Amino acid sequence: MLNGRTELHIFNRGSVTGDRYYDEVLLLHVRLFRGGIGPDFIFMADNARPHRTLAVEELLENEDITRMDWPAYSPDLNPIEHAWNTLGRRIAVCLYHPENTQLLKQRLIEERAFLPQKILHQLVLSMSRWCETTIAVRGGHIPYY
């Protein structure tokens, strides 16, 4: 399902811990999104520590959510990173730059709402090409630093 779009979640203050990731992302967004898509849903998360806690693993297993295998040190393969880059470029060209964190959050939410779905589709659909190219250039097991 390429037309699915979740709301932009911005963590308020502090670091993203496994507990916060579990409570604020998995329970509120991923679990519900998976329910809307059905059994073909494949969850993509990198290998950051908050994404790999025992509680996270148990929730994914209990909810029958399949996690995509993810190579270590490969943020360049993640379409989400490219979407953030696009949002950052859109904000950078604005006439008035956000003066504080709250205004930046608001601008991110607004720009995300106006980001054409076509761009997000292209990012997701180009993922297999990025993976193939990375394997061809770096080999199947060489981490990216």
Side-chain angles (χ1 to χ4, degrees):
M1 177 176 157
L2 290 175
N3 289 325
R5 182 187 271 220
T6 60
E7 293 179 23
L8 178 63
H9 180 81
I10 299 175
F11 288 92
N12 290 317
R13 300 184 189 261
S15 298
V16 178
T17 64
D19 290 339
R20 290 189 75 190
Y21 180 71
Y22 182 97
D23 292 337
E24 297 180 41
V25 176
L26 292 180
L27 289 180
L28 295 179
H29 301 288
V30 174
R31 191 175 65 151
L32 297 174
F33 196 64
R34 188 263 186 216
I37 293 176
D40 292 335
F41 179 75
I42 297 176
F43 181 56
M44 185 181 75
D46 61 23
N47 294 308
R49 283 189 184 152
H51 302 168
R52 295 293 178 165
T53 66
L54 181 58
V56 168
E57 297 297 331
E58 288 176 353
L59 176 93
L60 295 177
E61 184 176 327
N62 291 339
E63 296 287 332
D64 197 28
I65 296 175
T66 302
R67 181 200 303 261
M68 178 186 290
D69 289 331
W70 197 260
Y73 307 107
S74 302
D76 53 329
L77 298 180
N78 190 339
I80 295 166
E81 298 300 328
H82 296 275
W84 276 114
N85 181 289
T86 300
L87 283 175
R89 285 185 281 120
R90 291 172 68 110
I91 290 172
V93 299
C94 291
L95 186 58
Y96 300 103
H97 295 279
E99 297 175 4
N100 57 49
T101 305
Q102 189 58 37
L103 291 175
L104 176 59
K105 288 178 186 179
Q106 186 59 39
R107 181 68 57 84
L108 284 168
I109 290 168
E110 291 168 1
E111 288 297 329
R112 169 70 164 73
F114 291 121
L115 191 64
Q117 190 70 28
K118 182 178 179 180
I119 289 174
L120 300 175
H121 284 193
Q122 290 170 337
L123 289 174
V124 170
L125 293 174
S126 65
M127 193 175 150
S128 63
R129 182 175 35 93
W130 295 336
C131 291
E132 290 169 3
T133 301
T134 301
I135 290 169
V137 171
R138 297 187 193 138
H141 64 282
I142 300 171
Y144 170 76
Y145 295 97

